[in-house]
Structure formats: structure tokens, C-alpha cells
């Protein structure tokens, strides 16, 4: 299997998104909605609450932003998404692990299998797609089969939100296209478009300047009299 094509420089990220009919800022707003849902939870909430709320608020925010622009809500097979029939594109918000938004790793939507204590810890700490992974896996598999028989593509807005004591709630995110799902794991990534990494949004002004994305300014120098 070929390694995924990864877009992470501001100019190439915006270019690839534009080819899909998308823009960076609305996708970042969806991630911000997920962070808000995550942050609203307290120590009194059940351990799964942060992951559920991040997914729920991200999906809701995606619909609030995109539906007025021609997209539609879609819950086919209990896989909540937004779909654009003109673009023949579907987007699903999914909570993923620490590999999200990194060049040296890949995202996964479930914690790795291990001992019972390790599984319990991962179950509490990692953000899961939803409360019933087997049902979600079946829905994703059905959607992939449907995509294979059509010219629609289902992209996943992968997001990993974490608590940093000094920086507060921070997140990494990417819009990525998987080709397989097995035992609950999304994989076989074909393309990954990094939206946020440890340095923040890839489209920040400072990073676009570093990428040569902003226009140059002419500096006039006058000779002293």
C-alpha cells in the first residue's frame, strides 16, 4: 500500500482544499466547536463525556456552517455527516488519537488493543468516535462500499483534543481520506490534509509568511542629504 499523500504547508493545504471545493477557515471553525464541547465538560461528567461532546458539537457546528451554503445533513446508516451532492463529497467528524496532525504518525479512531488495565486507561483518555464503536464501524464499512459504487468520496475531519496544563485545551486536526476500516480502525490513508498541528492552524498569517504565501512589499530607501 502506498504511503499517504500529506499536505501540511499553508499554500498546498489551501490549494488541495480548493480542489475539493472547500476552504480552511470553515473547517477550523468546526474544530473550534468540538473544542468548545470538550471544554464544557467537568470532572463531574462521565469519562466518555468529553469525547462524545467533542464529536456532537463538531458535527453540529459543521451543519450550522455548511448547510446554509448548499450542503445537507445526512444520517444514512447512523453515520452522521454533511454531504454536498454537487461536489459529490461527504464529511464525517471523527475523534482520533495522538497520531492526528503529525507528520511522523497517522491518526486512528480507536485506542490500540492491550491489557485490560491499559484498555481501560485508553478508554477513558482517548477521544472515541461514539459510544458504540461496532455500530459505527459497520456504518463506515457500508459507506465505503457505497462510495466504491459511486463517484462520491467520504472524507473524515479527524480531531484530537487534549488538555495542556500551561496552554489549556489544544487540538490537532486534519481532513483525511481513508480506504479501509478493520476492527474499528480507520486506515489505509490515501490523503491527509493537515489543518492544525502543535503550532496551531496551518493557515495562520505567520506560517503563511514563512511558506512564501504572502505578497512581498517594496521598501523605499532614501539617501541622506
Amino acid at each position: 500500500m502506498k504511503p499517504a499523500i500529506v499536505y501540511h504547508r499553508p499554500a498546498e493545504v489551501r490549494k488541495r482544499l480548493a480542489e475539493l471545493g472547500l476552504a480552511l477557515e470553515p473547517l477550523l471553525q468546526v474544530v473550534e466547536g468540538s473544542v468548545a464541547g470538550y471544554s464544557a465538560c467537568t470532572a463531574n461528567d462521565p469519562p466518555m463525556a468529553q469525547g462524545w461532546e467533542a464529536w456532537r458539537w463538531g458535527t453540529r457546528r459543521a451543519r450550522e456552517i455548511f448547510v446554509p451554503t448548499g450542503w445537507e445533513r445526512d444520517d444514512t446508516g447512523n453515520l452522521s455527516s454533511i454531504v454536498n451532492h454537487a461536489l459529490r463529497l461527504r464529511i464525517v467528524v471523527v475523534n482520533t488519537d495522538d497520531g492526528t496532525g503529525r507528520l511522523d504518525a497517522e491518526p486512528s479512531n480507536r485506542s490500540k488493543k492491550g491489557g485490560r488495565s491499559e484498555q481501560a486507561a485508553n478508554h477513558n483518555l482517548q477521544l472515541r468516535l461514539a459510544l458504540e464503536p461496532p455500530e459505527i464501524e459497520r456504518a463506515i464499512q457500508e459507506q465505503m462500499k457505497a462510495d466504491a459504487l459511486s463517484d462520491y468520496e467520504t472524507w473524515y475531519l479527524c480531531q484530537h483534543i487534549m488538555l495542556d496544563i500551561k496552554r489549556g485545551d489544544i487540538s490537532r486536526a486534519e481532513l483525511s481520506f481513508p480506504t479501509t476500516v478493520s476492527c474499528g480502525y480507520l486506515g489505509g490513508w490515501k490523503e491527509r490534509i493537515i489543518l492544525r498541528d502543535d503550532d496551531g492552524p496551518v493557515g495562520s498569517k505567520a506560517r503563511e509568511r514563512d511558506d512564501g504565501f504572502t505578497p512581498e512589499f517594496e521598501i523605499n530607501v532614501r539617501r541622506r542629504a
Side-chain angles (χ1 to χ4, degrees), residues 25-39 57-58 61 159 161 171 196 201:
E25 284 72 19
L27 294 171
L28 290 175
Q29 290 177 37
V30 174
V31 178
E32 290 171 1
S34 293
V35 173
Y38 177 95
S39 302
W57 278 89
R61 192 70 182 120
Q159 53 185 19
I161 306 170
S171 63
R196 284 186 61 100

PDB file of all heavy atoms in Angstrom, residues 25-39 57-58 61 159 161 171 196 201:
ATOM      1  N   GLU A  25     -10.795  27.961   6.654  1.00  0.00           N
ATOM      2  CA  GLU A  25     -11.401  28.616   7.822  1.00  0.00           C
ATOM      3  C   GLU A  25     -12.679  27.928   8.317  1.00  0.00           C
ATOM      4  O   GLU A  25     -12.826  27.732   9.547  1.00  0.00           O
ATOM      5  CB  GLU A  25     -11.655  30.094   7.522  1.00  0.00           C
ATOM      6  CG  GLU A  25     -10.399  30.963   7.552  1.00  0.00           C
ATOM      7  CD  GLU A  25      -9.472  30.732   6.354  1.00  0.00           C
ATOM      8  OE1 GLU A  25      -9.959  30.188   5.337  1.00  0.00           O
ATOM      9  OE2 GLU A  25      -8.277  31.076   6.445  1.00  0.00           O
ATOM     10  N   PRO A  26     -13.637  27.562   7.458  1.00  0.00           N
ATOM     11  CA  PRO A  26     -14.834  26.887   7.976  1.00  0.00           C
ATOM     12  C   PRO A  26     -14.517  25.565   8.671  1.00  0.00           C
ATOM     13  O   PRO A  26     -15.148  25.223   9.675  1.00  0.00           O
ATOM     14  CB  PRO A  26     -15.677  26.662   6.714  1.00  0.00           C
ATOM     15  CG  PRO A  26     -15.214  27.710   5.762  1.00  0.00           C
ATOM     16  CD  PRO A  26     -13.749  27.853   6.019  1.00  0.00           C
ATOM     17  N   LEU A  27     -13.537  24.831   8.166  1.00  0.00           N
ATOM     18  CA  LEU A  27     -13.161  23.567   8.801  1.00  0.00           C
ATOM     19  C   LEU A  27     -12.552  23.811  10.172  1.00  0.00           C
ATOM     20  O   LEU A  27     -12.810  23.064  11.124  1.00  0.00           O
ATOM     21  CB  LEU A  27     -12.185  22.807   7.904  1.00  0.00           C
ATOM     22  CG  LEU A  27     -12.758  22.326   6.568  1.00  0.00           C
ATOM     23  CD1 LEU A  27     -11.652  21.776   5.680  1.00  0.00           C
ATOM     24  CD2 LEU A  27     -13.836  21.263   6.787  1.00  0.00           C
ATOM     25  N   LEU A  28     -11.756  24.871  10.290  1.00  0.00           N
ATOM     26  CA  LEU A  28     -11.188  25.212  11.586  1.00  0.00           C
ATOM     27  C   LEU A  28     -12.280  25.637  12.571  1.00  0.00           C
ATOM     28  O   LEU A  28     -12.183  25.362  13.771  1.00  0.00           O
ATOM     29  CB  LEU A  28     -10.159  26.336  11.435  1.00  0.00           C
ATOM     30  CG  LEU A  28      -8.856  25.971  10.723  1.00  0.00           C
ATOM     31  CD1 LEU A  28      -7.982  27.209  10.525  1.00  0.00           C
ATOM     32  CD2 LEU A  28      -8.081  24.901  11.500  1.00  0.00           C
ATOM     33  N   GLN A  29     -13.337  26.258  12.073  1.00  0.00           N
ATOM     34  CA  GLN A  29     -14.455  26.635  12.934  1.00  0.00           C
ATOM     35  C   GLN A  29     -15.160  25.404  13.481  1.00  0.00           C
ATOM     36  O   GLN A  29     -15.641  25.392  14.612  1.00  0.00           O
ATOM     37  CB  GLN A  29     -15.439  27.514  12.167  1.00  0.00           C
ATOM     38  CG  GLN A  29     -14.918  28.906  11.849  1.00  0.00           C
ATOM     39  CD  GLN A  29     -15.905  29.711  11.022  1.00  0.00           C
ATOM     40  OE1 GLN A  29     -17.108  29.611  11.217  1.00  0.00           O
ATOM     41  NE2 GLN A  29     -15.407  30.482  10.086  1.00  0.00           N
ATOM     42  N   VAL A  30     -15.222  24.349  12.677  1.00  0.00           N
ATOM     43  CA  VAL A  30     -15.814  23.095  13.144  1.00  0.00           C
ATOM     44  C   VAL A  30     -14.975  22.527  14.291  1.00  0.00           C
ATOM     45  O   VAL A  30     -15.513  22.095  15.317  1.00  0.00           O
ATOM     46  CB  VAL A  30     -15.907  22.077  11.998  1.00  0.00           C
ATOM     47  CG1 VAL A  30     -16.393  20.721  12.524  1.00  0.00           C
ATOM     48  CG2 VAL A  30     -16.850  22.576  10.901  1.00  0.00           C
ATOM     49  N   VAL A  31     -13.675  22.548  14.132  1.00  0.00           N
ATOM     50  CA  VAL A  31     -12.786  22.055  15.190  1.00  0.00           C
ATOM     51  C   VAL A  31     -12.948  22.897  16.452  1.00  0.00           C
ATOM     52  O   VAL A  31     -12.963  22.364  17.572  1.00  0.00           O
ATOM     53  CB  VAL A  31     -11.315  22.057  14.719  1.00  0.00           C
ATOM     54  CG1 VAL A  31     -10.397  21.597  15.846  1.00  0.00           C
ATOM     55  CG2 VAL A  31     -11.148  21.172  13.491  1.00  0.00           C
ATOM     56  N   GLU A  32     -13.080  24.196  16.286  1.00  0.00           N
ATOM     57  CA  GLU A  32     -13.290  25.073  17.444  1.00  0.00           C
ATOM     58  C   GLU A  32     -14.582  24.706  18.174  1.00  0.00           C
ATOM     59  O   GLU A  32     -14.654  24.770  19.408  1.00  0.00           O
ATOM     60  CB  GLU A  32     -13.333  26.532  16.992  1.00  0.00           C
ATOM     61  CG  GLU A  32     -11.972  27.067  16.530  1.00  0.00           C
ATOM     62  CD  GLU A  32     -12.076  28.438  15.883  1.00  0.00           C
ATOM     63  OE1 GLU A  32     -13.210  28.966  15.810  1.00  0.00           O
ATOM     64  OE2 GLU A  32     -11.040  28.968  15.441  1.00  0.00           O
ATOM     65  N   GLY A  33     -15.607  24.323  17.413  1.00  0.00           N
ATOM     66  CA  GLY A  33     -16.852  23.872  18.035  1.00  0.00           C
ATOM     67  C   GLY A  33     -16.637  22.620  18.860  1.00  0.00           C
ATOM     68  O   GLY A  33     -17.190  22.471  19.962  1.00  0.00           O
ATOM     69  N   SER A  34     -15.831  21.705  18.344  1.00  0.00           N
ATOM     70  CA  SER A  34     -15.520  20.484  19.090  1.00  0.00           C
ATOM     71  C   SER A  34     -14.764  20.794  20.369  1.00  0.00           C
ATOM     72  O   SER A  34     -15.032  20.204  21.424  1.00  0.00           O
ATOM     73  CB  SER A  34     -14.685  19.543  18.213  1.00  0.00           C
ATOM     74  OG  SER A  34     -15.445  19.071  17.120  1.00  0.00           O
ATOM     75  N   VAL A  35     -13.816  21.720  20.280  1.00  0.00           N
ATOM     76  CA  VAL A  35     -13.050  22.108  21.460  1.00  0.00           C
ATOM     77  C   VAL A  35     -13.973  22.725  22.508  1.00  0.00           C
ATOM     78  O   VAL A  35     -13.832  22.477  23.711  1.00  0.00           O
ATOM     79  CB  VAL A  35     -11.918  23.087  21.091  1.00  0.00           C
ATOM     80  CG1 VAL A  35     -11.231  23.628  22.344  1.00  0.00           C
ATOM     81  CG2 VAL A  35     -10.895  22.404  20.190  1.00  0.00           C
ATOM     82  N   ALA A  36     -14.950  23.504  22.055  1.00  0.00           N
ATOM     83  CA  ALA A  36     -15.905  24.115  22.991  1.00  0.00           C
ATOM     84  C   ALA A  36     -16.714  23.047  23.717  1.00  0.00           C
ATOM     85  O   ALA A  36     -16.934  23.135  24.932  1.00  0.00           O
ATOM     86  CB  ALA A  36     -16.828  25.065  22.230  1.00  0.00           C
ATOM     87  N   GLY A  37     -17.158  22.024  22.980  1.00  0.00           N
ATOM     88  CA  GLY A  37     -17.900  20.942  23.606  1.00  0.00           C
ATOM     89  C   GLY A  37     -17.050  20.174  24.599  1.00  0.00           C
ATOM     90  O   GLY A  37     -17.504  19.828  25.699  1.00  0.00           O
ATOM     91  N   TYR A  38     -15.809  19.921  24.221  1.00  0.00           N
ATOM     92  CA  TYR A  38     -14.857  19.235  25.093  1.00  0.00           C
ATOM     93  C   TYR A  38     -14.614  20.038  26.371  1.00  0.00           C
ATOM     94  O   TYR A  38     -14.616  19.494  27.480  1.00  0.00           O
ATOM     95  CB  TYR A  38     -13.559  19.046  24.315  1.00  0.00           C
ATOM     96  CG  TYR A  38     -12.412  18.421  25.060  1.00  0.00           C
ATOM     97  CD1 TYR A  38     -12.171  17.056  24.993  1.00  0.00           C
ATOM     98  CD2 TYR A  38     -11.531  19.204  25.808  1.00  0.00           C
ATOM     99  CE1 TYR A  38     -11.096  16.479  25.664  1.00  0.00           C
ATOM    100  CE2 TYR A  38     -10.459  18.646  26.474  1.00  0.00           C
ATOM    101  CZ  TYR A  38     -10.240  17.281  26.400  1.00  0.00           C
ATOM    102  OH  TYR A  38      -9.177  16.724  27.065  1.00  0.00           O
ATOM    103  N   SER A  39     -14.433  21.335  26.214  1.00  0.00           N
ATOM    104  CA  SER A  39     -14.101  22.211  27.338  1.00  0.00           C
ATOM    105  C   SER A  39     -15.273  22.395  28.291  1.00  0.00           C
ATOM    106  O   SER A  39     -15.068  22.748  29.466  1.00  0.00           O
ATOM    107  CB  SER A  39     -13.649  23.579  26.821  1.00  0.00           C
ATOM    108  OG  SER A  39     -12.542  23.450  25.958  1.00  0.00           O
ATOM    109  N   TRP A  57     -20.658  18.307  19.228  1.00  0.00           N
ATOM    110  CA  TRP A  57     -20.589  19.726  18.908  1.00  0.00           C
ATOM    111  C   TRP A  57     -19.885  19.968  17.578  1.00  0.00           C
ATOM    112  O   TRP A  57     -20.234  20.896  16.844  1.00  0.00           O
ATOM    113  CB  TRP A  57     -19.896  20.489  20.039  1.00  0.00           C
ATOM    114  CG  TRP A  57     -20.834  20.809  21.165  1.00  0.00           C
ATOM    115  CD1 TRP A  57     -21.117  20.034  22.251  1.00  0.00           C
ATOM    116  CD2 TRP A  57     -21.660  21.967  21.285  1.00  0.00           C
ATOM    117  NE1 TRP A  57     -22.051  20.636  23.055  1.00  0.00           N
ATOM    118  CE2 TRP A  57     -22.400  21.843  22.474  1.00  0.00           C
ATOM    119  CE3 TRP A  57     -21.826  23.111  20.507  1.00  0.00           C
ATOM    120  CZ2 TRP A  57     -23.307  22.802  22.901  1.00  0.00           C
ATOM    121  CZ3 TRP A  57     -22.722  24.086  20.941  1.00  0.00           C
ATOM    122  CH2 TRP A  57     -23.448  23.916  22.123  1.00  0.00           C
ATOM    123  N   GLY A  58     -18.903  19.129  17.245  1.00  0.00           N
ATOM    124  CA  GLY A  58     -18.244  19.265  15.952  1.00  0.00           C
ATOM    125  C   GLY A  58     -19.201  18.981  14.807  1.00  0.00           C
ATOM    126  O   GLY A  58     -19.244  19.719  13.819  1.00  0.00           O
ATOM    127  N   ARG A  61     -21.699  21.842  14.631  1.00  0.00           N
ATOM    128  CA  ARG A  61     -21.101  23.055  14.072  1.00  0.00           C
ATOM    129  C   ARG A  61     -20.884  22.910  12.572  1.00  0.00           C
ATOM    130  O   ARG A  61     -21.082  23.879  11.820  1.00  0.00           O
ATOM    131  CB  ARG A  61     -19.763  23.343  14.776  1.00  0.00           C
ATOM    132  CG  ARG A  61     -19.220  24.726  14.470  1.00  0.00           C
ATOM    133  CD  ARG A  61     -20.058  25.798  15.115  1.00  0.00           C
ATOM    134  NE  ARG A  61     -19.569  27.132  14.797  1.00  0.00           N
ATOM    135  CZ  ARG A  61     -20.286  28.054  14.170  1.00  0.00           C
ATOM    136  NH1 ARG A  61     -21.532  27.791  13.792  1.00  0.00           N
ATOM    137  NH2 ARG A  61     -19.785  29.246  13.934  1.00  0.00           N
ATOM    138  N   GLN A 159      -9.919  14.817  14.526  1.00  0.00           N
ATOM    139  CA  GLN A 159      -9.547  15.816  15.523  1.00  0.00           C
ATOM    140  C   GLN A 159      -9.111  15.129  16.806  1.00  0.00           C
ATOM    141  O   GLN A 159      -9.714  14.154  17.247  1.00  0.00           O
ATOM    142  CB  GLN A 159     -10.723  16.758  15.795  1.00  0.00           C
ATOM    143  CG  GLN A 159     -12.013  16.028  16.156  1.00  0.00           C
ATOM    144  CD  GLN A 159     -13.191  16.948  16.294  1.00  0.00           C
ATOM    145  OE1 GLN A 159     -13.194  18.075  15.813  1.00  0.00           O
ATOM    146  NE2 GLN A 159     -14.227  16.477  16.965  1.00  0.00           N
ATOM    147  N   ILE A 161      -8.179  16.303  20.620  1.00  0.00           N
ATOM    148  CA  ILE A 161      -8.203  17.410  21.578  1.00  0.00           C
ATOM    149  C   ILE A 161      -7.589  16.925  22.880  1.00  0.00           C
ATOM    150  O   ILE A 161      -7.850  15.807  23.325  1.00  0.00           O
ATOM    151  CB  ILE A 161      -9.643  17.901  21.827  1.00  0.00           C
ATOM    152  CG1 ILE A 161     -10.317  18.241  20.498  1.00  0.00           C
ATOM    153  CG2 ILE A 161      -9.653  19.114  22.755  1.00  0.00           C
ATOM    154  CD1 ILE A 161     -11.800  18.504  20.618  1.00  0.00           C
ATOM    155  N   SER A 171      -5.669  21.485  20.265  1.00  0.00           N
ATOM    156  CA  SER A 171      -6.138  20.441  19.360  1.00  0.00           C
ATOM    157  C   SER A 171      -5.251  20.334  18.141  1.00  0.00           C
ATOM    158  O   SER A 171      -4.579  21.285  17.744  1.00  0.00           O
ATOM    159  CB  SER A 171      -7.578  20.735  18.920  1.00  0.00           C
ATOM    160  OG  SER A 171      -7.635  21.952  18.192  1.00  0.00           O
ATOM    161  N   ARG A 196      -4.549  21.620  11.625  1.00  0.00           N
ATOM    162  CA  ARG A 196      -3.938  22.144  12.850  1.00  0.00           C
ATOM    163  C   ARG A 196      -2.896  21.151  13.326  1.00  0.00           C
ATOM    164  O   ARG A 196      -3.137  19.937  13.308  1.00  0.00           O
ATOM    165  CB  ARG A 196      -4.970  22.323  13.977  1.00  0.00           C
ATOM    166  CG  ARG A 196      -5.899  23.514  13.862  1.00  0.00           C
ATOM    167  CD  ARG A 196      -6.748  23.633  15.139  1.00  0.00           C
ATOM    168  NE  ARG A 196      -5.907  23.826  16.311  1.00  0.00           N
ATOM    169  CZ  ARG A 196      -5.692  25.012  16.882  1.00  0.00           C
ATOM    170  NH1 ARG A 196      -6.266  26.092  16.403  1.00  0.00           N
ATOM    171  NH2 ARG A 196      -4.909  25.110  17.947  1.00  0.00           N
ATOM    172  N   PRO A 201      -3.164  26.510  13.817  1.00  0.00           N
ATOM    173  CA  PRO A 201      -3.695  26.395  12.464  1.00  0.00           C
ATOM    174  C   PRO A 201      -2.599  26.572  11.419  1.00  0.00           C
ATOM    175  O   PRO A 201      -1.768  27.473  11.537  1.00  0.00           O
ATOM    176  CB  PRO A 201      -4.724  27.534  12.380  1.00  0.00           C
ATOM    177  CG  PRO A 201      -5.073  27.839  13.792  1.00  0.00           C
ATOM    178  CD  PRO A 201      -3.832  27.590  14.580  1.00  0.00           C
TER     179      PRO A 201
END
